[in-house]
Amino acid sequence: GGLGNNFGGLGNNFGGLGNNFGGLGNNFGGLGNNNNNNNNNNNSNNNNSNNVVKEKETHSNIKLPTLSVTSKIPSLFSSTKTVPKIIKKLNSFIENLDTISEEELQIIQSLKDCFIKRKSEPEYPIPSGCFNLFEKLLVGNVLPIDKIFPVLDLFRILVLHPTANQYFTSDKISIIDTLFDTLFSNDNKPPVACLWLFSRVISNMFSHRFGRKVLLNKTYFPKVIDIIINGLGSNTKQFKHTAATLSYNCCVFIRDEEDQMEILTAVIQSLNEPEKYNDESKFTLLMCLGRILFKNEEAIEIADALELQLDPFLNSEINKVKNAANEIKLLIETPVTL
């Protein structure tokens, strides 16, 4: 356009030639407008492209196939393969006790059949007198504390049944209270097997809404945190893995932000010492971390403040560990919202 005016001015000096140049100037001016229009269109297209990229780069749109951050399925210790051995061990402890009747021994044998087939019949009919027998064996002073571990191992399976889950988190929550206080008291030194087996009972209580509601309330959640901290700090791999799983189950259902931050701190401190955990525990802790970081700016800031170290997991030879770490890195680097 400007070029056209210059040529137009030149046309005034040279007469008719100027008109031709003036016309040429107009043509150049038109061409200039076309170029401007093309540039505007290109800019518009670029802006649209940028907007598309930005829309994809949020927590709502990124793909996290490993972390499964929206799943509502807890991780459970549901294996029944060792039930015959467990019952054999328990019978060796109680079959000669005067305080245990023949009827009670029969209840244990009936449970053996129920537990073995629970995969095909998860809501099996619970033998009559079963709940009272477990109360007796766990907190009735029938067995010394160092011999209740087979009872706890059977108890972890029993609480997967919705009726048992509801019973032991409502009518008989006192049993759980007593076990908490007995096993995690500073005055007692129970075998570590009792600690991680009881922790699996608590973790399995997340299988139903009755247990979740109780364990996440303000009365019991501090006790759950105690289990997690004790377990993650333990030298026993079963206890570490159980504590990691319990952390994950809490994160699946927890809503209180303050409680989330307690779990987050414990998990990051553990992940920053990867040499202390086996691959399965590492993966479970990463899964837990991903749940907390998803759509949570405060949690991402805390992870940064605690200097979360992801490199050992990003370089892992275990694919699921590496994949989980890469997705967590993506969560950290991606805006929660636009």
Side-chain angles (χ1 to χ4, degrees):
L3 184 60
N5 290 334
N6 289 334
F7 276 116
L10 187 62
N12 290 332
N13 293 327
F14 291 94
L17 183 64
N19 290 334
N20 290 333
F21 272 98
L24 183 64
N26 289 336
N27 288 336
F28 271 92
L31 183 60
N33 289 337
N34 288 336
N35 285 337
N36 287 338
N37 288 338
N38 287 337
N39 288 336
N40 289 337
N41 289 335
N42 288 336
N43 289 336
S44 176
N45 289 334
N46 289 336
N47 289 336
N48 289 337
S49 297
N50 290 335
N51 288 337
V52 171
V53 172
K54 288 181 180 178
E55 286 175 2
K56 290 182 179 178
E57 293 180 348
T58 66
H59 280 205
S60 296
N61 296 322
I62 56 176
K63 294 181 179 180
L64 305 167
T66 302
L67 295 178
S68 301
V69 290
T70 58
S71 170
K72 293 296 182 183
I73 301 174
S75 179
L76 304 173
F77 297 96
S78 57
S79 174
T80 57
K81 292 180 180 179
T82 58
V83 164
K85 291 182 179 179
I86 298 168
I87 288 182
K88 183 178 180 180
K89 174 60 71 175
L90 177 58
N91 282 336
S92 72
F93 290 160
I94 66 173
E95 60 189 358
N96 295 321
L97 294 178
D98 295 337
T99 50
I100 300 297
S101 68
E102 286 296 326
E103 290 78 8
E104 288 170 326
L105 291 174
Q106 186 55 50
I107 290 173
I108 293 173
Q109 294 308 308
S110 298
L111 271 179
K112 175 183 175 181
D113 297 332
C114 293
F115 286 170
I116 290 174
K117 66 179 182 181
R118 70 164 296 275
K119 191 170 184 178
S120 59
E121 192 179 355
E123 297 192 22
Y124 54 83
I126 297 173
S128 177
C130 174
F131 294 167
N132 289 336
L133 176 58
F134 269 84
E135 181 177 6
K136 182 176 179 178
L137 293 173
L138 288 169
V139 297
N141 296 319
V142 172
L143 292 170
I145 194 171
D146 62 338
K147 290 186 177 181
I148 66 168
F149 63 89
V151 189
L152 289 168
D153 211 359
L154 296 176
F155 195 32
R156 81 170 158 89
I157 303 172
L158 182 62
V159 298
L160 293 171
H161 193 293
T163 303
N165 191 289
Q166 182 177 17
Y167 179 82
F168 287 106
T169 54
S170 55
D171 298 345
K172 285 295 180 179
I173 189 65
S174 59
I175 297 174
I176 303 300
D177 277 335
T178 302
L179 288 170
F180 263 127
D181 295 340
T182 301
L183 294 174
F184 289 92
S185 168
N186 292 329
D187 298 330
N188 295 319
K189 298 294 180 183
V192 69
C194 291
L195 298 179
W196 60 261
L197 285 169
F198 175 65
S199 301
R200 292 187 176 187
V201 172
I202 298 301
S203 190
N204 278 3
M205 283 185 164
F206 280 86
S207 59
H208 298 286
R209 59 184 176 85
F210 317 108
R212 297 194 289 265
K213 182 177 179 180
V214 169
L215 294 176
L216 294 179
N217 70 29
K218 291 300 182 182
T219 300
Y220 286 95
F221 188 71
K223 296 182 179 183
V224 174
I225 287 291
D226 283 345
I227 291 178
I228 290 171
I229 291 173
N230 273 277
L232 293 177
S234 170
N235 293 322
T236 304
K237 65 179 183 179
Q238 294 97 327
F239 200 3
K240 282 182 178 293
H241 179 56
T242 303
T245 303
L246 181 55
S247 300
Y248 174 78
N249 287 346
C250 287
C251 291
V252 171
F253 300 104
I254 205 167
R255 292 294 173 267
D256 186 274
E257 291 183 4
E258 185 177 335
D259 293 343
Q260 273 191 338
M261 294 309 108
E262 284 198 71
I263 297 284
L264 176 64
T265 302
V267 167
I268 291 178
Q269 288 175 346
S270 300
L271 288 172
N272 282 349
E273 297 180 307
E275 70 280 359
K276 294 184 178 181
Y277 298 88
N278 62 24
D279 291 325
E280 198 60 39
S281 294
K282 291 175 186 176
F283 176 69
T284 305
L285 288 168
L286 288 169
M287 292 286 285
C288 180
L289 178 60
R291 299 289 307 217
I292 300 176
L293 296 182
F294 183 62
K295 294 185 177 181
N296 192 332
E297 290 183 4
E298 182 183 359
I300 292 172
E301 290 173 2
I302 290 175
D304 181 60
L306 294 175
E307 299 181 346
L308 171 66
Q309 302 297 315
L310 283 177
D311 285 349
F313 311 106
L314 293 170
N315 298 321
S316 174
E317 296 180 357
I318 307 301
N319 284 336
K320 66 179 184 179
V321 171
K322 182 187 296 185
N323 292 341
N326 274 308
E327 289 178 19
I328 287 171
K329 185 173 183 286
L330 181 62
L331 280 172
I332 292 172
E333 294 175 350
T334 302
V336 173
T337 59
L338 288 177

